[in-house]
Amino acid sequence: MYDYLIVGAGFAGSVLAERLAKDSNKKVLIIDRRNHIGGNAYDFYNEAGILIHKYGPHIFHTNSAEVFEYLSRFTAWRPYEHRVLASVAGKLLPIPINLDTVNWLYGRDFTSEELEQYFEEIKEPVQNVRTSEDVVVSQVGRDLYEKFFRGYTRKQWGMDPSELDKLVTSRIPTRTNRDDRYFTDEFQYMPLHGYTRMFENVLDHPNIHIALNTSYAEIKKYVGFKNLVFTGPVDEYFDYCYGKLPYRSLQFVHETLDTPLLQPVAVVNYPNDHEYTRITEYKHLTGQQHANKTSITYEYPSWEGDPYYPVPKPENATLYQKYKLLTETLPNVHFVGRLGTYRYYNMDQVVAQALTLYGKLANRKSLKEAIDTRIEKKHVTSPGIYVPSTISVAAAPEA
Ligand code: FAD
Ligand code: UDP
């Protein structure tokens, strides 16, 4: 009999397993239908000995000191600031759009102030910014929207940006300075030895049992558990009783080339050419040295395959709300993660969401308290009575 069965060994499931096992002394079984831990962040050394991400590029970035501090217990880090170029009009230009993007695209020599003025002139007035098209045309106008966003978004999501919620393209800022970083978060790092190694450390605890190649449908008949954490697709859990929630998928084509380096940055986006959206070259992300080979991944969007992206549009949000009401009828089942809560979340947001759920389960008031490991710090005072070490060892009564 386990205290918790956790379905899915990605960030959501693994963080909860660690907290419940280590901090609350619960017996946990974590399962995944894949043959590895780490969920979509799984990485591995390929046949050339190069560390690659099986499910496309994963770059860690966060503004949450708690999330960063928590994950730092399980990995050392490599400082890494992500830069992306977009192949547009025969040039490789910085994306997010910045001062250099516009100057190099149009052969201009704007200053930041002039570019702000230029955007004022070309942006389209939108009364109520609702869609992913609205977001971009209301900031940089139609030409830049069509060159950098429309084609990419149509490929990536299989629909026009005008059909997608504004949150999708709002992920990409517009800048009038020369900052060409993809993210501006306070903490931007890659796990020094990779994500999989980090997950091994997260799950390394005697209270945690791991079963891979195991789906919830098959194991639920054979194993006893008091509580369930479900990080798979929420509609799957309820047998699609209200219909399927759409998830966008990707086909990843991995290649190793006989050249030391292919492209100037880790990711090059192709908004207007090819069926793939982007090419990732891992050596830039990991800093790995390899004299004469490099490994890359092409991403081909598709409706077939594993569910990767919840599709942010109003009717899907409405359908999700119906499932959410069902989840609220099950007090011992907890839905969390990108698929479990149908949210287009980054890794750090999923970690924060999992820690918040743990805080609720363990009666902690804040994220800071949720990452405080109490069992380890406790001192026995008399049989059955524990005093947290935050009271300090000297003040604690003798055992
Ligand atoms: P997942 O990682 O999807 O884990 C869920 C696990 O549950 C899976 O391993 C699945 O096999 C298992 N599972 C599901 N159903 C069942 C079942 N019924 N039985 C057993 N097992 C089941 N985020 C960033 O912060 N930075 C990035 O650069 C970034 N890049 C990304 C690139 C791509 C191509 C994608 C797709 C995502 C990217 N993300 C990135 C987002 C990141 O992958 C997610 O935020 C994170 O992996 C979500 O973790 P999770 O635990 O919720 O879900
Ligand atoms: N996007 C785009 N052109 C780009 C980069 C992004 O149109 O060159 C849009 C596209 O709709 C994409 C969204 O912005 O899905 C968010 O981009 P992000 O890089 O955050 O996507 P992810 O890494 O999650 O796939």
Side-chain angles (χ1 to χ4, degrees):
M1 174 63 82
Y2 288 94
D3 295 309
Y4 280 85
L5 172 63
I6 299 184
V7 178
F11 271 101
S14 300
V15 166
L16 273 152
E18 190 276 344
R19 291 286 72 202
L20 287 162
K22 198 172 193 178
D23 190 49
S24 288
N25 204 20
K26 301 292 184 196
K27 300 270 179 282
V28 174
L29 173 63
I30 182 166
I31 65 165
D32 205 298
R33 58 183 161 206
R34 290 170 168 165
N35 63 359
H36 57 74
I37 58 173
N40 289 338
Y42 172 72
D43 54 14
F44 67 101
Y45 288 89
N46 66 11
E47 68 295 336
I50 297 175
L51 184 64
I52 72 164
H53 299 183
K54 183 166 183 182
Y55 306 98
H58 279 71
I59 296 105
F60 182 77
H61 56 102
T62 190
N63 281 317
S64 165
E66 285 86 4
V67 167
F68 184 65
E69 199 243 281
Y70 172 72
L71 290 178
S72 301
R73 296 172 190 176
F74 311 104
T75 185
W77 300 99
R78 164 177 198 261
Y80 170 74
E81 288 185 327
H82 194 43
R83 287 180 170 79
V84 178
L85 295 171
S87 172
V88 170
K91 300 174 177 160
L92 289 182
L93 300 169
I95 177 90
I97 290 172
N98 70 10
L99 181 62
D100 289 328
T101 313
V102 176
N103 281 338
W104 296 344
L105 176 67
Y106 296 131
R108 305 294 290 260
D109 197 16
F110 288 134
T111 61
S112 291
E113 294 70 32
E114 287 165 348
L115 181 58
E116 274 167 38
Q117 180 57 37
Y118 179 67
F119 283 157
E120 281 302 314
E121 288 160 21
I122 60 173
K123 73 183 191 188
E124 292 185 5
V126 181
Q127 280 289 325
N128 177 15
V129 175
R130 279 184 311 106
T131 72
S132 274
E133 175 180 303
D134 296 342
V135 173
V136 185
V137 297
S138 66
Q139 291 181 61
V140 298
R142 194 136 304 256
D143 193 51
L144 290 167
Y145 162 72
E146 286 179 358
K147 286 191 163 67
F148 287 86
F149 286 89
R150 190 178 63 185
Y152 189 103
T153 303
R154 283 182 177 172
K155 261 194 283 188
Q156 170 71 15
W157 296 94
M159 64 189 75
D160 194 78
S162 60
E163 296 172 70
L164 278 168
D165 190 279
K166 64 180 176 191
L167 75 85
V168 175
T169 52
S170 299
R171 289 166 63 91
I172 314 298
T174 302
R175 304 195 181 118
T176 51
N177 59 20
R178 302 189 65 197
D179 187 351
D180 62 347
R181 295 170 304 159
Y182 209 63
F183 309 111
T184 50
D185 300 53
E186 186 177 352
F187 306 98
Q188 303 190 42
Y189 295 92
M190 296 292 289
L192 187 60
H193 303 292
Y195 288 96
T196 303
R197 182 73 71 81
M198 179 178 80
F199 276 93
E200 284 167 5
N201 293 335
V202 171
L203 293 173
D204 180 16
H205 193 277
N207 284 351
I208 301 177
H209 294 173
I210 306 172
L212 299 176
N213 299 305
T214 303
S215 78
Y216 175 60
E218 62 188 285
I219 203 169
K220 68 179 174 190
K221 297 173 250 162
Y222 304 111
V223 72
F225 54 94
K226 296 178 193 154
N227 302 281
L228 178 68
V229 171
F230 193 81
T231 78
V234 59
D235 53 337
E236 176 189 312
Y237 180 87
F238 292 106
D239 285 329
Y240 312 102
C241 64
Y242 296 133
K244 284 198 167 191
L245 280 166
Y247 296 89
R248 191 69 169 156
S249 190
L250 294 167
Q251 307 299 325
F252 300 100
V253 175
H254 304 295
E255 274 180 14
T256 295
L257 309 174
D258 288 320
T259 177
L261 223 46
L262 176 72
Q263 52 191 41
V265 290
V267 172
V268 175
N269 287 354
Y270 291 87
N272 308 308
D273 315 305
H274 310 296
E275 284 179 25
Y276 50 84
T277 49
R278 59 187 179 187
I279 300 179
T280 298
E281 185 171 29
Y282 293 99
K283 284 164 81 177
H284 294 282
L285 297 181
T286 57
Q288 192 180 351
Q289 301 295 315
H290 194 297
N292 45 26
K293 285 184 195 290
T294 192
S295 291
I296 60 170
T297 299
Y298 300 82
E299 289 173 52
Y300 292 87
S302 147
W303 289 111
E304 305 295 315
D306 282 358
Y308 294 128
Y309 292 86
V311 182
K313 55 190 294 195
E315 59 264 43
N316 300 344
T318 308
L319 181 54
Y320 169 67
Q321 281 309 320
K322 290 174 77 175
Y323 282 111
K324 184 156 185 295
L325 285 178
L326 279 187
T327 68
E328 286 161 9
T329 65
L330 304 172
N332 295 328
V333 185
H334 308 284
F335 294 83
V336 61
R338 184 143 147 154
L339 307 173
T341 56
Y342 202 66
R343 289 211 177 95
Y344 185 8
Y345 266 177
N346 294 328
M347 296 181 282
D348 65 318
Q349 295 170 302
V350 169
V351 172
Q353 191 192 36
L355 291 173
T356 303
L357 171 59
Y358 175 69
K360 226 169 82 188
L361 296 173
N363 238 334
R364 303 291 156 73
K365 289 189 206 72
S366 63
L367 215 57
K368 201 166 162 46
E369 280 195 14
I371 64 172
D372 182 25
T373 291
R374 297 182 172 203
I375 295 273
E376 279 196 333
K377 293 184 188 164
K378 283 168 187 166
H379 303 278
V380 178
T381 53
S382 61
I385 302 176
Y386 294 85
V387 175
S389 66
T390 42
I391 293 174
S392 101
V393 177
E398 289 299 316

